[in-house]
Amino acid sequence: LDVNSTTSGAANIQVGNAAADIALGIGSPSTANKVVVTAGGSVGIGTSSPIYPLHVSGEAGIDLYNSSGGGNVLNFRSVLGDAQKYNMSISSYDHATNGTGSADGLSINGKDGVSIATGTDTTRTERMRIDSSGRVGIGCTPIRVLDIATTTGGTIIHLTDDTTGHTVTDGVDIQQEGTLFQILNREAGDIRFGTNSAERMRLDSSGNVLIGTTSTNGYGASFSGNKYLYLSRDGGEPLFVNRGSSDGEIIEFRKDGTAVGSIQSKTGDLAIGTGDTGVRFVDGDDAIMPHSVSANDYIDNAINLGTSNYRFKDLYLSGSIANPSGNLTLDASGAITLDSDGGQVSFNDAGTL
């Protein structure tokens, strides 16, 4: 045992020679060594053959205690000094005061990032990483604030609670697989969407899409799971349909995929019909005109009003009836005039000819 001081005033304690280990035991000489310092400078606690600079064998714990209530730090670094105290470290920390209060939390610090890994006895597979920019990657190197990836089978975020249960068929799945993205509620409940702290749309458990309403017959839009659309508005138009730029069909009606009619626009007027049979409402002339839907234009001398088998009943007029040639007219007074080849016959409402 050699105890001496150096020229700089430091103390030097040496046991044995430089080639021998130093062992410290407590109790009788037969008691196993508790601490061993090898000739190479490794320290073993609970082992006489340390393979690391500090090797602890058996149940181990490190207790860092600061009676003043300040923080404690366990550092892993190549250079000493406060300049790198957060390079690689685990420290106690008070998050509520950003480190100025009594430490009651835990901070894991890594200059280049922090990762969590699993694996086998001899391999390490990284599972999660927080990089130096604060981005979190699960199964990948993060490129967004939160980045989740798998190599095969797609990525699923599975959300459950004690009410839904915790099996794979419970709760809600948010899934991406290839070009597929889906949100799946496995329970008999709604999926709701909102803005400005208010619900704006929901998909209910029956497959109804409700916009601006919470029921299938309330004010708003309801796309029913039974394949119909319901629109309702209080005191206003429930539907606006707009065609831009050119005239043509605004709404097309179909049966089993085949067009059976349409509503069209033509120079500011509205027309409705099918094929070459339709009517056009011309507000400039205060008239209803024959219209060809297929041509989207007026049609002349081609459309009948009823047939011999399917007739309209009564016709009530306040003006006259005339054909273009003028050979048959019914004027507002009720007089009927027949004019043919210069000859004319009139019947007035007094019954005279």
Side-chain angles (χ1 to χ4, degrees):
L1 175 63
D2 183 13
V3 180
N4 57 69
S5 62
T6 65
T7 56
S8 63
N12 180 43
I13 302 176
Q14 181 176 329
V15 179
N17 56 61
D21 297 341
I22 301 173
L24 174 63
I26 299 175
S28 65
S30 62
T31 302
N33 296 330
K34 303 300 183 183
V35 179
V36 172
V37 181
T38 68
S42 297
V43 177
I45 301 176
T47 177
S48 60
S49 303
I51 60 176
Y52 298 108
L54 175 61
H55 185 168
V56 180
S57 179
E59 294 186 8
I62 299 175
D63 190 356
L64 303 178
Y65 175 70
N66 189 332
S67 60
S68 66
N72 299 292
V73 180
L74 179 62
N75 291 300
F76 306 88
R77 59 190 177 188
S78 58
V79 179
L80 294 176
D82 284 344
Q84 295 187 11
K85 68 178 181 179
Y86 294 125
N87 192 331
M88 295 177 292
S89 65
I90 301 174
S91 62
S92 56
Y93 193 80
D94 180 45
H95 294 90
T97 61
N98 293 322
T100 62
S102 179
D104 55 3
L106 185 66
S107 175
I108 301 176
N109 314 295
K111 178 180 179 180
D112 188 44
V114 176
S115 63
I116 299 175
T118 62
T120 67
D121 291 340
T122 57
T123 61
R124 176 189 181 276
T125 302
E126 182 177 312
R127 305 301 186 186
M128 185 176 76
R129 177 188 302 184
I130 305 174
D131 69 10
S132 58
S133 299
R135 296 172 296 198
V136 178
I138 300 176
C140 63
T141 299
I143 59 175
R144 303 293 188 196
V145 174
L146 175 61
D147 202 341
I148 304 174
T150 57
T151 55
T152 59
T155 299
I156 299 177
I157 300 175
H158 188 55
L159 307 174
T160 64
D161 60 19
D162 288 345
T163 300
T164 65
H166 303 285
T167 72
V168 295
T169 59
D170 294 324
V172 173
D173 288 344
I174 302 173
Q175 180 181 6
Q176 175 274 328
E177 184 174 356
T179 58
L180 168 70
F181 174 77
Q182 73 174 8
I183 300 174
L184 175 61
N185 185 355
R186 296 184 177 275
E187 309 298 324
D190 301 338
I191 297 177
R192 302 181 183 183
F193 304 86
T195 61
N196 197 26
S197 300
E199 180 183 329
R200 305 302 184 189
M201 182 176 75
R202 73 169 60 179
L203 173 62
D204 69 17
S205 59
S206 297
N208 302 310
V209 178
L210 310 176
I211 302 175
T213 181
T214 58
S215 66
T216 56
N217 58 0
Y219 292 129
S222 172
F223 299 87
S224 173
N226 292 325
K227 302 177 180 59
Y228 67 84
L229 170 63
Y230 177 90
L231 301 174
S232 179
R233 182 183 179 190
D234 185 12
E237 301 88 341
L239 176 65
F240 293 87
V241 181
N242 180 63
R243 176 186 174 115
S245 302
S246 63
D247 282 326
E249 291 178 331
I250 297 177
I251 299 176
E252 181 178 86
F253 301 96
R254 294 188 169 222
K255 172 66 171 67
D256 295 330
T258 301
V260 295
S262 65
I263 297 175
Q264 299 178 324
S265 66
K266 180 66 174 181
T267 60
D269 298 327
L270 179 72
I272 184 170
T274 180
D276 60 359
T277 305
V279 293
R280 178 171 163 186
F281 301 89
V282 184
D283 60 347
D285 295 330
D286 294 330
I288 299 175
M289 311 288 268
H291 182 85
S292 170
V293 172
S294 55
N296 194 20
D297 205 351
Y298 292 124
I299 189 171
D300 182 50
N301 195 29
I303 299 176
N304 298 321
L305 189 62
T307 66
S308 60
N309 294 326
Y310 300 99
R311 300 163 295 171
F312 289 90
K313 186 175 184 289
D314 296 320
L315 183 62
Y316 297 89
L317 303 172
S318 63
S320 62
I321 297 177
N323 65 352
S325 63
N327 55 11
L328 176 63
T329 62
L330 171 62
D331 64 22
S333 67
I336 300 174
T337 300
L338 177 60
D339 188 347
S340 177
D341 296 330
Q344 189 178 81
V345 179
S346 296
F347 302 88
N348 60 38
D349 59 353
T352 60
L353 177 61

